[in-house]
Amino acid sequence: MLPSAPAMERVRHLIVGAGISGLATAAFLKDRDVLVLEADREIGGYCKTVKQDGFTWDYSGHFFHFKHPDVEAWLRERMPGQEIRTVEKKSFIAYGGGMVDFPFQKNIHQLPQAEFIECLYDLYFARSSDVAGRKAEGQTEANFKEMLYARFGRGIAEKFLIPYNEKLYACDLSTLDRDAMGRFFPHADLPDIIRNMRVADNATYNATFTYPEGGAIEYVKALASAVPPGAIALEERLVSIDLRRRVATTTKREIAFERLVSSAPFPALARMSGLAHDAGAFTWNKVLVFNLGFDRKAASGRHWVYFPDKGTSFYRIGYYDNIFDGDRLSLYVELGYPRDAVLGEQEIEALRRRVLADLAKEGVTSGHELVSHHTVVMDPAYVHITRASMAEFTRLSRVLRANGVYSIGRYGGWTYCSIEDNIVEARALASDFDAA
Ligand SMILES: Cc1cc2nc3c(=O)[nH]c(=O)nc-3n(C[C@H](O)[C@H](O)[C@H](O)COP(=O)(O)OP(=O)(O)OC[C@H]3O[C@@H](n4cnc5c(N)ncnc54)[C@H](O)[C@@H]3O)c2cc1C
């Protein structure tokens, strides 16, 4: 008699990705029949933390702004002994050889007088003519770049908003949707801007932030502690999904599921599901992050600084040492690239030299010695939210859901969001499943 084939493994909830979204789904599901597949050898996704030579670095600057006290309390309960600081954010823009408070549009009065007048004049007439006219006609701006000009005028747009966002997104901003940054874009009205000239109120979407002493991974560990023991399979990648049979093929086995929740990047999920789709609708940037540790302290009283000048390689830097009062400068430095840019070892080495030179040029370092460094390429980092991406996402995710496949998270949802948003979304989905 021929040996019979082993029975296919089955699980009610198969989750793809042990980053914040996947772990939060598994943690909040009351149904414990769950398996989390993670391609990497560690949990955490983009919320991993690196500890090296006495420095603590995340994959990129990860500072946390909780708007749901219950979410923060749930996490903190699972982080015993972990010091978590709440810090009043101090962020600046490097401009014209000095520093302007962030956000730029609310602090134009800090510019040299001629530039201040230029920005204010353009802002006033953009606001009073264009926006008012459009509102009256019920129109909205056609794209992100047009929104910047229409709401802030040429001066503010061309001195900061456009060059900065072009460095970050590494694309033509007129290809992005008007709301590509959602609530993460610090909007300001004309009265807000004028009022700020007398009494500074730069509280944007994140006036304070919290940060755990052990780095971003501490939030990940808190979520993982609520996942059933043994339910995370590391170094196991989802390869394809048979939607009709509800069977997933991984690098190790076949698994039948009732529901599959994926936090993998959406274009990859669409491909793995074999759905006909317009792959060209999905574009993104990648971000090269240098984590740099130096021999001694530099400036204090700064958490992060934006660099709109295209002559400087990075668009943003952040100071880890100013959160927990470290005595050595500890920076993350972010550079934006198109998704097809080649970032091999040689390119990264050359860019690190360029970054060190730019840090000295910008006055961030002065004779500091680099004593430790670490590099990450986040790919994708910022997805390009366009009309085409939104339409294709909506169409495909409807088909996937009808077949028991749910795509969530920053990359599964092909969106711009925070870890708190990821947790809130995962919790709601888990609760829907438990209620079904
Ligand atoms: C530059 C930058 C700065 C940021 N700063 C902040 C911040 O300050 N505060 C904040 O709240 N948020 C910040 N974020 C956002 C935050 O990083 C994300 O919202 C969050 O990490 C996304 O978690 P996720 O689980 O949805 O995705 P991911 O972290 O991408 O996790 C997905 C997981 O799925 C795994 N995976 C992918 N494909 C497969 C497959 N086929 N099979 C198995 N596993 C697979 C991956 O290995 C990964 O572990 C930042 C993001 C970037 C890019």
Side-chain angles (χ1 to χ4, degrees), residues 281-327:
F282 301 105
T283 65
W284 60 91
N285 82 344
K286 49 191 180 196
V287 167
L288 171 61
V289 183
F290 289 112
N291 287 315
L292 304 174
F294 295 87
D295 60 338
R296 63 197 158 81
K297 188 92 180 157
S300 46
R302 286 180 195 168
H303 297 118
W304 60 95
V305 182
Y306 300 83
F307 291 85
D309 180 1
K310 291 203 172 164
T312 297
S313 48
F314 37 85
Y315 64 82
R316 185 171 64 172
I317 66 169
Y319 292 72
Y320 285 108
D321 55 305
N322 288 338
I323 303 174
F324 277 97
D325 312 318
D327 57 5

Side-chain angles (χ1 to χ4, degrees), residues 16-22 37-40 44-48 60-65 236-238 263-265 272 287 315-316 334 378 381-382 408-411 417-420 422:
V16 181
I20 292 282
S21 300
L37 300 174
E38 172 52 59
D40 202 354
Y46 278 174
C47 269
K48 292 192 187 78
S60 172
H62 269 79
F63 299 139
F64 302 98
H65 317 280
E236 183 165 359
R237 175 177 287 279
L238 174 74
S263 61
M272 290 188 287
V287 167
Y315 64 82
R316 185 171 64 172
E334 296 174 334
M378 302 175 90
Y382 290 87
I408 63 163
R410 176 157 168 141
Y411 302 99
C417 64
S418 69
I419 67 151
E420 185 186 41
N422 298 145

